[in-house]
Amino acid sequence: MKVHVVRYADDFVVIAPNKGLMTDVLIPAIKNFLLKRGLKIRPDKTRLVDVYKGFEFLGFRFFKRKFDYRKV
């Protein structure tokens, strides 16, 4: 499974191939990782979004486009 993490200072984005992997595996692992370091995820700043709808990170808008390679 492809999981991507982008981190800048104390902000980070995790991109996973499906919501189930994110909610069942990655979020608990991230919470555990942070807890060991005396940190926690802030619920007011945390959200799950569809990468095709896009999200903002550090003042930039990120999104993924669907592209049909058969039409090229």
Side-chain angles (χ1 to χ4, degrees), residues 5-70:
V5 178
V6 179
R7 182 182 69 87
Y8 183 82
D10 62 344
D11 296 321
F12 63 94
V13 173
V14 179
I15 301 171
N18 60 59
K19 187 176 179 179
L21 177 64
M22 184 68 81
T23 58
D24 298 340
V25 178
L26 296 176
I27 291 177
I30 292 167
K31 285 182 179 180
N32 187 36
F33 176 84
L34 293 175
L35 187 63
K36 289 180 182 178
R37 288 151 180 83
L39 302 169
K40 59 183 175 180
I41 293 177
R42 289 187 48 185
D44 59 321
K45 288 188 164 187
T46 303
R47 58 194 174 103
L48 293 175
V49 297
D50 184 353
V51 74
Y52 290 106
K53 293 182 181 175
F55 60 93
E56 289 202 17
F57 181 61
L58 302 174
F60 293 92
R61 179 108 179 120
F62 294 90
F63 61 93
K64 185 174 182 177
R65 289 190 227 176
K66 293 182 182 180
F67 186 78
D68 188 356
Y69 291 98
R70 295 172 292 172

